C-alpha cells in the first residue's frame, strides 16, 4: 500500500512529519511518498540517516500556509505539497493522503481535485473524540458551516460505516446533536433533520444527543452541521486543556504533591493517554472518493504515524467502497 | 430585602430548597418567602425545627413539573409555586425570585408575568462558567433557540453590565462565540452579528471567541444564540463530569491511590470547588424587569443559598436599573 504524506503541512513540518513517516514505514506494511521540496527533504533524510527504501519523495516546492486563502491550492499554489499529493492520489498513484496542513485548503483540494463520491452532496470532517466509554465520532466538525438536512443524513450514514469498519462497532448508535433529547427540540433545521434521520434504514438512529452526553459515551456517532460540530469539538478541547492544567496544579509545587504524583504515576499516564486526541490519528474527510486524513495542525511524529495507521485501516477495511455500495442500495430503493 | 423562592422547583424540592432558604436567611440580611403548598411547607418547617421569623410562606398548591408544557404556567397551573412567586414579584411584593424549576416555564412566566425591560427584544439565560482564570458569562445559553443579530447585541450589553456590577470587572471583554477568530467566520448570522457588535459603544467588544478559548479565560462574556450557547454549556458540563470521573479513578482502588489522595486532599478539594458550578449560584434571566434567578435543576441547599446571594447582589448592585439606563442612553443617541 502507498500513502502520500504532505511533508510541509502543520506546525511541526517538515521534521516531525518525516519522523512520523519513518515510524509508520517501519511499523506498518506501507510505502510512504513524502510530498514537498525535494532539496529540503533530501537534506533531512540525510541528516536523520534515514535508509528506508520504502520512503520516496514527490517534488513540490510550494507550501500552503495556515492563513492562505484555501482557493490558492488550485491556482497560485498548485505546486504546493498539498496540491501535488492530492493530484497524485486522484491519478491513482497511491492509496491515501495524509496532511496536517490547512483544513480549509485540504477541504477545497480534496473536493475539487480528488472529487466527492458520486451522490454525496458534501464531504465532512469527522473526528474521533475520547469519552468515558469508547470514542465517539463527531461529524461534521467544521467542513460545512451551513448544512441542509439531507447532508446530515449522509454524514450519519458515512459515520456509521466508518465506526463499524474501523472501530468494529456492530450497529453504531447514531445521534443528532441538539439542545434537548425530545424530537421537537432545536431550530427548524434540527427538527427537519431529525424527521429525515428517523426514517433512515441504513443506520441505527437513536434520536437527539446533548453536548453533555457525548463525553459520557451517549452515542457512537454525533451528527451536526459544521458550525455546531466545531463548537463542540473546540469546547471539548478547551475544557480538556483547562482540566489537565488543573490536575497538574494539584501535583506540583509541594513535596507531598510530587510524592502523590509518583504514587499514581501509572494511572495519571493512562488517563492522559485515554484523553489524548493524537492516539486516534486524524480526522477522515468522509465523502471524498479516496481516503484523505486530516491530522491535527500541531501533530508531532507519533500523531502522524497514527494518522498513517488510520489511512491504512480505511483502505484495508474498504470504508469508501462500503459507502459507495450503501448509496447505490439507497438509490435502488428510491427508484 | 425580600426574596421569593420557588420551594417546589427542581429535583430536590422541597426539602433542599427549604434548607437552602434557611441558610440564606441566617447568612444574609434577607426575608425569604417560600412559594408552595402551605401544608407541606409548614410540616417541613416544624420537622426541621425552623424558628427563623424571616421565613414566611406564600401558599400555592400546584407544582410545575419538568415535562409540563411551559405554557401551563399561565393556564392550568397558574396556582403553581412558580406562577405565584412570579406574580408576587410583578406586584412588587418582593425584590427578586429564585427557582430551580423548569427553565422553559420560568422563561415563559418571567417574560409574560413579570415582563421584559422596555426596549429589550428577548430575555436571555446567562450562566457563569468556571475557567482557568475568572468565571466567564455565557449568554444566551438556552432561552432563545433562534436569534437575530440585534438580540445578541443586547445580550452583550446586559452581560457586560452584569459582569461589571456583580463580578467587579472594569471593562468586561465581550466576545461573539464563533468557529474561528477572523471576522468573516461563521454563518451569515454570526457575520452580521459581528458587524453589529463591532460598532457597539457601550461595551468592550473584542471579536470572536472559539469554544476552545472560553475555558482558558479568553473572554469575560461569551455571546451566542441560545442553541449554540446551550451546546457549549452542556459540552462543558459533560467534559467536566467525564474528567472528574477520570480523576477519581486515578485515586481509587489501590492503597497507593488512596495515600496519594490523602497527600493532595486539600488541592483536590480546591480544584473541585473551583470547577463547581453551584458555587456561582444560578443563571440570571437578563432582560426581565425584575431579578429572576434560575438555579440548576439539581440544586441542593448550598446552591440555593448561593442563588439567593446572587439575587441579593443583583438588587444591591442595581443591575437592572443600570441596564435600563444604558438602553435609554442608546435611544437618545439614536434619536
Amino acid at each position: 500500500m502507498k500513502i502520500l504524506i504532505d511533508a510541509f503541512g502543520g506546525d511541526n513540518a517538515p521534521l516531525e512529519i518525516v519522523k512520523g513517516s519513518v515510524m509508520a514505514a517501519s511499523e506498518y506494511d506501507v510505502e510512504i511518498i513524502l510530498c514537498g521540496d525535494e532539496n529540503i527533504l533530501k537534506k533531512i533524510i540525510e541528516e536523520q540517516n534515514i535508509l528506508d527504501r520504502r520512503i520516496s519523495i514527490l517534488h513540490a516546492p510550494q507550501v500552503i500556509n495556515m492563513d492562505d486563502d484555501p482557493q490558492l491550492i488550485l491556482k497560485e499554489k498548485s505546486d504546493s505539497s498539498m496540491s501535488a499529493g492530492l493530484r497524485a492520489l486522484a491519478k491513482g498513484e497511491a492509496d491515501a493522503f495524509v496532511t496536517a496542513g490547512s483544513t480549509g485548503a485540504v477541504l477545497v483540494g480534496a473536493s475539487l481535485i480528488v472529487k466527492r463520491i458520486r451522490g454525496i452532496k458534501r464531504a465532512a470532517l469527522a473526528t474521533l473524540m475520547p469519552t468515558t466509554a469508547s470514542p465517539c465520532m463527531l461529524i461534521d466538525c467544521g467542513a460545512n458551516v451551513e448544512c441542509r438536512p439531507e447532508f446530515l443524513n449522509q454524514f450519519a450514514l458515512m459515520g456509521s460505516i466508518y465506526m463499524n469498519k474501523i472501530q468494529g462497532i456492530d450497529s453504531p448508535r447514531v445521534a443528532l446533536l441538539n439542545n434537548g433529547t425530545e424530537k421537537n427540540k432545536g431550530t427548524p433545521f434540527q427538527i427537519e433533520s431529525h424527521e429525515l434521520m428517523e426514517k433512515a434504514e441504513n443506520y441505527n438512529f437513536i434520536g437527539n444527543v446533548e453536548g453533555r452526553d457525548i463525553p459520557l459515551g451517549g452515542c457512537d456517532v454525533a451528527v451536526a452541521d459544521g458550525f455546531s460540530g466545531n463548537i463542540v469539538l473546540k469546547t471539548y478541547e478547551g475544557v480538556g486543556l483547562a482540566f489537565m492544567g488543573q490536575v497538574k496544579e494539584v501535583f506540583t509545587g509541594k513535596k507531598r504533591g510530587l510524592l502523590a504524583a509518583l504514587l499514581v504515576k501509572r494511572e495519571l499516564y493512562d488517563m492522559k493517554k485515554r484523553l489524548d486526541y493524537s492516539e486516534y490519528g486524524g480526522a477522515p474527510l468522509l465523502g471524498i472518493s479516496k481516503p484523505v486524513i486530516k491530522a491535527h495542525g500541531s501533530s508531532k511524529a507519533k500523531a502522524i504515524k497514527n494518522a498513517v495507521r488510520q489511512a491504512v485501516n480505511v483502505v484495508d477495511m474498504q470504508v469508501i467502497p462500503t459507502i459507495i455500495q450503501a448509496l447505490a442500495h439507497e438509490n435502488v430503493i428510491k427508484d
Side-chain angles (χ1 to χ4, degrees), chain A:
Chain A
M1 193 185 302
K2 285 184 189 170
I3 313 284
L4 292 149
I5 300 185
D6 176 2
F8 287 80
D11 307 340
N12 303 305
L15 188 59
E16 289 289 325
I17 314 291
V18 175
K19 283 185 180 173
S21 305
V22 175
M23 285 163 74
S26 73
E27 278 193 42
Y28 316 124
D29 185 20
V30 287
E31 285 177 48
I32 302 282
I33 305 168
L34 292 170
C35 311
D37 189 304
E38 197 168 20
N39 295 327
I40 302 175
L41 289 172
K42 273 191 175 158
K43 212 176 142 200
I44 294 174
I45 285 174
E46 202 170 300
E47 279 170 4
Q48 299 285 317
N49 201 19
I50 297 165
L51 303 167
D52 200 323
R53 291 196 158 270
R54 287 168 306 165
I55 296 179
S56 60
I57 295 172
L58 173 64
H59 180 60
Q62 288 181 313
V63 174
I64 291 184
N65 298 310
M66 295 310 269
D67 49 0
D68 277 342
D69 178 348
Q71 300 293 337
L72 289 186
I73 191 170
L74 298 169
K75 301 169 197 166
E76 289 91 331
K77 293 221 170 164
S78 63
D79 255 347
S80 60
S81 53
M82 196 188 273
S83 309
L86 288 169
R87 272 199 307 272
L89 181 68
K91 281 189 214 149
E93 292 168 11
D95 301 285
F97 176 72
V98 171
T99 180
S102 154
T103 306
V106 71
L107 279 170
V108 171
S111 293
L112 296 178
I113 299 169
V114 188
K115 304 267 194 305
R116 287 195 294 272
I117 293 169
R118 219 184 133 187
I120 289 289
K121 310 257 183 205
R122 292 288 185 283
L125 205 58
T127 301
L128 283 184
M129 310 209 299
T131 78
T132 52
S134 56
C136 170
M137 166 165 280
L138 178 65
I139 180 171
D140 177 22
C141 56
N144 309 283
V145 167
E146 289 184 281
C147 287
R148 292 204 306 265
E150 61 260 42
F151 301 175
L152 264 58
N153 191 35
Q154 291 190 335
F155 298 167
L157 173 65
M158 295 192 292
S160 175
I161 289 172
Y162 186 96
M163 292 306 275
N164 172 253
K165 292 285 179 189
I166 303 297
Q167 297 293 117
I169 300 171
D170 216 12
S171 174
R173 294 162 304 152
V174 178
L176 173 68
L177 177 71
N178 211 331
N179 66 339
T181 50
E182 304 86 347
K183 64 183 278 186
N184 62 347
K185 279 284 180 174
T187 70
F189 169 72
Q190 275 81 26
I191 295 170
E192 220 182 295
S193 299
H194 191 289
E195 278 168 13
L196 191 61
M197 293 170 77
E198 219 175 22
K199 291 184 202 127
E201 289 179 355
N202 43 16
Y203 59 86
N204 171 23
F205 183 60
I206 61 162
N208 293 332
V209 69
E210 296 183 88
R212 190 187 144 100
D213 296 319
I214 298 175
L216 301 171
C219 62
D220 301 308
V221 180
V223 179
D225 61 277
F227 184 82
S228 310
N230 193 265
I231 298 288
V232 169
L233 178 71
K234 287 179 179 158
T235 304
Y236 224 94
E237 216 178 325
V239 177
L241 276 170
F243 240 102
M244 284 311 266
Q246 296 284 318
V247 170
K248 234 181 201 164
E249 259 182 45
V250 165
F251 290 106
T252 45
K254 282 161 236 84
K255 272 185 192 162
R256 52 190 177 77
L258 294 173
L259 179 57
L262 268 177
L263 284 166
V264 290
K265 197 179 160 187
R266 177 64 194 265
E267 286 79 5
L268 282 173
Y269 175 80
D270 286 349
M271 172 173 109
K272 213 181 151 221
K273 192 169 163 151
R274 233 182 348 257
L275 299 169
D276 188 1
Y277 278 73
S278 66
E279 288 293 327
Y280 299 138
L285 224 63
L286 294 181
I288 300 298
S289 59
K290 303 203 172 179
V292 175
I293 308 286
K294 164 73 180 86
H296 201 290
S298 64
S299 291
K300 295 203 168 179
K302 197 184 70 176
I304 295 297
K305 184 201 79 175
N306 287 332
V308 172
R309 186 197 60 212
Q310 197 183 3
V312 170
N313 289 342
V314 170
V315 177
D316 273 345
M317 299 306 295
Q318 308 214 318
V319 169
I320 293 171
T322 310
I323 293 173
I324 293 169
Q325 221 172 359
L327 288 173
H329 182 69
E330 200 170 54
N331 289 336
V332 167
I333 291 176
K334 273 184 192 159
D335 298 344

